Amino acid sequence: MKLGPSFRLLLSTLMISIGLSGASSMQAQAQEPKGLRIATSYKLMTLDPHYANLNENTSLLSHIYERLVYQDERLELKPGLAVSWRALSDTQWEFKLRDNVRFHDGSPFTANDVIYTIERIRDVLKTPSGGFKSYVSGIKSVTAPDPLTIVVETNGKVPTLPLSFSSLFVMRRPSQGFQTTEQLNADVPPLGTGPYRFESWSSGENLKLSRNDHYWGPKPAWADVTFRVIENPSARVAALSTGEVDVADAIPARDVAGLKQRGARIASIGAARINFVQFDVARDTLPGVTATSGEAIANPFKNPLVRRALSHGLDRGILVDKILAGYGTAASQVFPAGLPGTSENLQPREPDYEEAKALLAKAGFPDGFNLTLAGPAGRYPGDAESLQAIAQSWARIGVIAQPAAAPFSVFNTKRAAGEYAVWYGGTSGEAVDIILHTLLASPDLARGTGALNFGKYRNEAFDKKLAEAEGIAVGSERNAGLAEATELVMADQPIIPLYHFHHIVGFGPRVGSYVMHPRGWTTAMQTLTATEN
Amino acid sequence: MALVTVALGRLSQAFLLLLAMSLIGFIGIHSVGNPVFNVVNIETATPEDIRLATIALGLDQPIWRQYLVFIGNVVAGNFGTSYIYHQPAFTLMISKLPATLELACVAMLVAAPLGTALGLIAGRRPGTLFDRAVLKASVSALSIPSFWLAMMLILVGAILTGWFPSGGRGATAAFAGQEWSLITRSGAWHLALPALTLAIPNIALIARLSRSGTIEVENLDFTRFCRAKGLSPRRILLRHTLPNISMPIVTIIGLQFGAMLAFAVVVESIFSWPGVGKLLIDSIQLLDRPVVMATLTFIAVAFVVLNALVDLFHAVLDPRVRLSSQR
């Protein structure tokens, strides 16, 4: 349940004041330190690793199941269950699999299991979430020349196949047939090759794991791990403060100071994701957009000058410093600068209200206009507050914005129904090209592009450039192409990038260090014990 | 014969209530938003994904047909599969029931005797210091919002002193096929603060009822006769006053127990107590219609059953009820 901001404010104020009063800190620690206890906001939905492509599931299931390829903290690809991979031709990939890997029941891991995994996702599962299908839809066939090699044949060029495989958990092929989601949830304990074995799960409550002593990789630091689902951020903060848990993820930025005073430590990293303002640039008239006099006007967002003016008239510093309490990075593109595929030439701009006004005047709106700025509440750090701050910024250039925050499900329903003209949104992906592909490429059902392009923005030059870059194999050349495509599209300002919020994790004295991942995963493998450090 | 008529009337009422409740719940959750956006990952889903998910969940059908399908399934004993967890909705709800049940039971086992006793003692001598203290305390206890009370208990009981955990359910042990925390030490420890949060307003409510009842009964003729007969004040209080004031108390215990089963949402959320109330509010937020409907149906049934039990108790406790039904 989401409690009102007033409640959270009250609790955090209380906690800070306790910290100041010097009350004993980090007390009530477990007398017998055994396993690692993690308070997570991620609610595991199912034990089926192919049910829904959400951090909620992948974070926790990555203890049990493994991928062929990993994305490290720089989002670079690293060997996982596959030790190496190469393109045999434009439509053929070869993956060499790791030897001497065993599933938790002792059976050996072979190419047969990889084939099973791909077939299960591509041909068998009919989950309503269906989030994994796109990773394997380009695969024509998979063959195994020997038990530790697979050859993947694709329909056309798929230079990102290794990246796709970094999202797929490998399951063991059962003696017959395919396992259904119901079976995995009820009867069959999940079986993977990962560093932890499954012990027990109670939906919405906890997930218990124990160390896999036969793990092929570095042995995990903790013999057993308990994840406790605590969705309320204040409750997570309280559990960490009282020492009931060792790690708490998704800490609100406003609670960081209080937690530090109580002896907890903080790890944070810029998230590989973007929050932005998106315009409807397709329709002729828009709901909620009127002249200052209140009369209906033609869609002003079709004019790039207006979009640029709104971008110039926006103070990202306030969003990052005040609303996110410094735990955010002002954005000028889809990923934080420095990650593969980002452009060094794009820097977040300081607000320039004079230039913004001049641009508005040039576009035919010397007095500005009125609009309703929609957005979800409580979905992303700083979402509803950002609407207010953006509205205040825009008021300085004569654009009177009415913030309209709604619960996420209501927001999505209304956005799909076309009730919004301009709105706040957020998205993430494995790589820059995936976000460009879904958020900014022209909507095209057949090619599957523009799924998140709710503004129906179309830019053929950008589409071409992106398609070119997407055809290049993963590497610096591809990254340069993506950066160029980003520069091209951002000049037109189809969205206004706002910020990349930071993932914040707090940890107690039993944890030595915590390595954050920009994808926002919370795992026991990211922690080391205090003695190990 | 009369009893059968009463029971039949009662049952048909309950049936109509359930039907009305299901209709309101169904339309309500439908009008909040489209659950598909919570089922698919809206940040990566293609329009094709959304279309397929809509069909998979049967949401492409008109609402009246969806409702008829739902009613048909319920009659066949099936509330459908949770959109989010992909588990049978009713099983999911039942798995959360022990947590709520033990929380409500412990809270009521604390609140009922304590509240009654406080009210009896206070009401016997109105105007004394004790009476005024009980009255004042009960007013404040009733006017404190439960989220604030829960927070204060976490603050004092968990963060400042470290005596109790700040949330969660602790260790559980299996009994009668379900997991219970009351029978383990850590579980009982985790139960203390949330149960107290639920108990405090109920103590106040019951104490006020029992106090005003006591004052009324103590001034009636029969208590004077008892006193004149030379019965000890203690005997009068326990054997004569208590049974006479028990009707409203039993009623309120029944109603409040039902309310705790159904709507301990705030307390369960703050203490991360994985009960039915928390499941309900989570499911409403995620628009997980099968789970919402299963939970609402359970709540409606629970209220009907509790009300019937309360009536039954009335008959046991009050001879006048028994007599009137025999006539």
Side-chain angles (χ1 to χ4, degrees):
Chain A
M1 168 183 175
K2 297 273 183 298
L3 293 156
S6 54
F7 163 74
R8 287 180 301 200
L9 185 71
L10 191 52
L11 185 58
S12 37
T13 322
L14 283 168
M15 295 206 17
I16 291 164
S17 58
I18 299 157
L20 287 176
S21 71
S24 51
S25 65
M26 303 305 279
Q27 53 188 290
Q29 277 167 36
Q31 286 77 14
E32 65 282 34
K34 274 193 294 194
L36 182 70
R37 300 153 305 165
I38 301 181
T40 180
S41 57
Y42 292 141
K43 190 155 70 171
L44 182 62
M45 292 174 182
T46 162
L47 294 170
D48 185 341
H50 306 142
Y51 180 72
N53 185 14
L54 298 169
N55 270 357
E56 271 91 334
N57 296 332
T58 47
S59 259
L60 302 191
L61 290 177
S62 68
H63 294 83
I64 302 169
Y65 299 101
E66 288 191 289
R67 309 163 167 106
L68 289 181
V69 181
Y70 279 104
Q71 269 189 307
D72 69 2
E73 290 77 37
R74 306 280 316 147
L75 299 187
E76 307 282 1
L77 296 181
K78 290 279 142 74
L81 285 178
V83 283
S84 66
W85 51 90
R86 63 193 175 109
L88 299 176
S89 70
D90 270 0
T91 57
Q92 268 192 328
W93 282 86
E94 184 196 71
F95 288 77
K96 289 279 179 197
L97 304 182
R98 197 174 287 278
D99 200 2
N100 284 325
V101 175
R102 293 190 173 271
F103 283 96
H104 295 157
D105 66 347
S107 57
F109 157 74
T110 64
N112 202 6
D113 302 307
V114 180
I115 296 174
Y116 168 76
T117 298
I118 291 169
E119 287 173 349
R120 182 171 190 264
I121 299 171
R122 191 187 56 187
D123 308 331
V124 183
L125 277 194
K126 302 240 176 334
T127 67
S129 309
F132 287 102
K133 223 158 214 160
S134 56
Y135 297 116
V136 292
S137 55
I139 295 177
K140 194 167 153 196
S141 68
V142 194
T143 47
D146 65 73
L148 291 176
T149 309
I150 57 163
V151 174
V152 181
E153 193 143 342
T154 57
N155 305 312
K157 266 173 105 178
V158 187
T160 52
L161 195 70
L163 182 67
S164 295
F165 279 175
S166 76
S167 293
L168 302 184
F169 287 120
V170 176
M171 288 175 75
R172 192 180 74 103
R173 186 190 280 276
S175 46
Q176 51 181 331
F178 286 83
Q179 285 170 336
T180 62
T181 303
E182 285 84 354
Q183 280 174 328
L184 279 169
N185 281 342
D187 318 323
V188 212
L191 206 56
T193 57
Y196 284 95
R197 298 161 174 277
F198 172 81
E199 287 290 331
S200 70
W201 171 55
S202 179
S203 74
E205 291 175 48
N206 57 46
L207 173 73
K208 290 185 177 146
L209 305 165
S210 65
R211 179 161 58 200
N212 171 14
D213 286 319
H214 304 292
Y215 186 56
W216 58 269
K219 260 196 177 179
W222 305 86
D224 55 273
V225 177
T226 306
F227 279 92
R228 249 171 69 187
V229 178
I230 305 182
E231 285 141 309
N232 187 292
S234 302
R236 277 198 303 284
V237 169
L240 180 63
S241 309
T242 54
E244 278 164 56
V245 295
D246 302 306
V247 177
D249 67 11
I251 300 284
R254 61 179 168 268
D255 289 326
V256 165
L259 271 176
K260 280 185 176 164
Q261 258 154 354
R262 293 182 60 76
R265 280 177 298 158
I266 300 291
S268 72
I269 194 166
R273 52 179 311 135
I274 167 99
N275 287 91
F276 51 83
V277 170
Q278 193 170 30
F279 306 102
D280 187 324
V281 295
R283 284 183 284 172
D284 291 331
T285 54
L286 293 174
V289 179
T290 60
T292 41
S293 58
E295 289 164 33
I297 51 171
N299 182 349
F301 308 124
K302 285 190 173 183
N303 188 340
L305 291 179
V306 173
R307 304 199 294 261
R308 211 171 306 153
L310 291 175
S311 178
H312 283 322
L314 199 114
D315 194 345
R316 293 173 182 80
I318 287 192
L319 302 182
V320 169
D321 296 337
K322 298 290 184 298
I323 292 173
L324 298 174
Y327 285 93
T329 308
S332 57
Q333 50 191 326
V334 298
F335 266 8
L339 289 177
T342 56
S343 160
E344 284 172 26
N345 301 328
L346 291 174
Q347 293 299 332
R349 296 183 55 145
E350 293 290 312
D352 187 339
Y353 299 111
E354 291 316 309
E355 196 189 336
K357 273 192 220 165
L359 283 170
L360 274 184
K362 207 169 148 197
F365 300 99
D367 304 323
F369 51 89
N370 300 342
L371 57 85
T372 305
L373 177 61
R379 171 77 181 182
Y380 308 103
D383 50 10
E385 296 90 336
S386 291
L387 300 186
Q388 302 279 350
I390 295 167
Q392 279 171 23
S393 269
W394 283 352
R396 293 180 62 165
I397 57 169
V399 173
I400 308 304
Q402 194 65 49
F408 190 58
S409 48
V410 176
F411 168 77
N412 273 316
T413 308
K414 288 192 168 180
R415 182 171 64 182
E419 289 184 32
Y420 298 141
V422 47
W423 58 88
Y424 169 109
T427 187
S428 66
E430 297 91 80
V432 163
D433 48 299
I434 289 172
I435 298 194
L436 294 176
H437 192 84
T438 56
L439 184 66
L440 295 169
S442 306
D444 184 337
L445 264 182
R447 288 176 54 231
T449 54
L452 283 187
N453 187 350
F454 297 112
K456 303 277 182 287
Y457 170 76
R458 286 175 189 277
N459 182 338
E460 276 173 26
F462 165 70
D463 285 347
K464 203 161 148 264
K465 193 116 198 153
L466 179 63
E468 273 169 31
E470 283 184 319
I472 307 171
V474 174
S476 55
E477 202 188 328
R478 180 189 178 93
N479 291 343
L482 291 173
E484 266 177 54
T486 310
E487 286 167 28
L488 180 80
V489 74
M490 282 305 164
D492 204 24
Q493 213 82 63
I495 58 163
I496 304 180
L498 295 176
Y499 54 77
H500 316 284
F501 64 77
H502 292 184
H503 293 298
I504 310 174
V505 161
F507 54 97
R510 294 180 60 221
V511 173
S513 66
Y514 189 91
V515 182
M516 296 288 293
H517 196 283
R519 295 289 305 279
W521 292 317
T522 307
T523 68
M525 288 79 84
Q526 288 166 292
T527 66
L528 290 180
T529 54
T531 47
E532 263 183 299
N533 202 27
Chain B
M1 195 60 214
L3 207 64
V4 177
T5 326
V6 170
L8 278 180
R10 215 42 210 247
L11 271 176
S12 57
Q13 267 177 20
F15 180 74
L16 281 178
L17 175 84
L18 284 175
L19 207 63
M21 187 278 318
S22 73
L23 194 62
I24 294 169
F26 203 85
I27 293 173
I29 194 79
H30 179 83
S31 54
V32 172
N34 189 343
V36 166
F37 296 117
N38 290 327
V39 174
V40 300
N41 182 355
I42 191 67
E43 292 184 350
T44 55
T46 61
E48 182 64 7
D49 287 339
I50 292 176
R51 195 182 65 85
L52 290 176
T54 307
I55 294 171
L57 298 179
L59 296 169
D60 52 335
Q61 304 285 329
I63 174 82
W64 60 267
R65 185 169 293 158
Q66 291 181 39
Y67 180 72
L68 288 185
V69 168
F70 164 76
I71 291 290
N73 285 342
V74 170
V75 170
N78 170 20
F79 279 89
T81 306
S82 161
Y83 295 164
I84 307 291
Y85 296 111
H86 217 274
Q87 288 177 11
F90 193 71
T91 317
L92 192 65
M93 196 276 298
I94 289 294
S95 73
K96 304 293 174 199
L97 197 54
T100 293
L101 211 55
E102 61 187 357
L103 187 62
C105 285
V106 169
M108 206 33 102
L109 284 176
V110 172
L114 201 62
T116 315
L118 284 175
L120 273 177
I121 301 170
R124 202 162 65 92
R125 300 239 173 76
T128 58
L129 186 66
F130 183 80
D131 177 50
R132 277 179 294 157
V134 168
L135 211 54
K136 285 242 168 66
S138 69
V139 170
S140 14
L142 278 176
S143 40
I144 290 175
S146 62
F147 78 87
W148 195 82
L149 181 63
M151 253 168 42
M152 283 300 133
L153 286 176
I154 291 182
L155 187 64
V156 175
I159 296 181
L160 278 181
T161 59
W163 291 337
F164 295 98
S166 67
R169 204 177 162 203
T172 54
F175 177 73
Q178 290 290 354
E179 292 288 319
W180 305 85
S181 40
L182 196 54
I183 45 185
T184 69
R185 213 180 112 86
S186 133
W189 221 233
H190 280 81
L191 188 66
L193 288 186
L196 198 60
T197 314
L198 278 181
I200 285 175
N202 284 306
I203 295 175
L205 196 64
I206 295 169
R208 287 180 70 84
L209 269 179
S210 130
R211 175 185 173 272
S212 57
T214 309
I215 294 177
E216 202 181 313
V217 171
E218 291 271 314
N219 287 326
L220 289 181
D221 288 339
F222 81 88
T223 4
R224 287 202 210 130
F225 284 121
C226 286
R227 226 172 272 146
K229 197 184 163 202
L231 293 183
S232 75
R234 205 169 130 212
R235 194 179 161 80
I236 298 175
L237 206 59
L238 294 180
R239 293 300 297 272
H240 298 276
T241 312
L242 183 58
N244 273 292
I245 64 167
S246 55
M247 291 270 281
I249 295 180
V250 167
T251 310
I252 211 73
I253 288 175
L255 289 179
Q256 287 295 104
F257 189 77
M260 277 198 271
L261 282 187
F263 308 116
V265 172
V266 174
V267 174
E268 287 188 359
S269 290
I270 294 183
F271 287 99
S272 313
W273 191 261
V276 175
K278 189 160 175 298
L279 179 72
L280 177 63
I281 209 76
D282 283 355
S283 305
I284 291 176
Q285 249 171 6
L286 294 168
L287 303 177
D288 194 350
R289 196 165 67 197
V291 182
V292 171
M293 293 312 291
T295 313
L296 284 181
T297 309
F298 160 75
I299 289 170
V301 171
F303 267 100
V304 168
V305 170
L306 278 167
N307 271 315
L309 281 178
V310 164
D311 285 356
L312 202 71
F313 251 83
H314 280 184
V316 174
L317 288 172
D318 192 336
R320 285 168 295 189
V321 176
R322 256 175 290 166
L323 289 174
S324 72
S325 68
Q326 274 165 11
R327 238 178 271 142

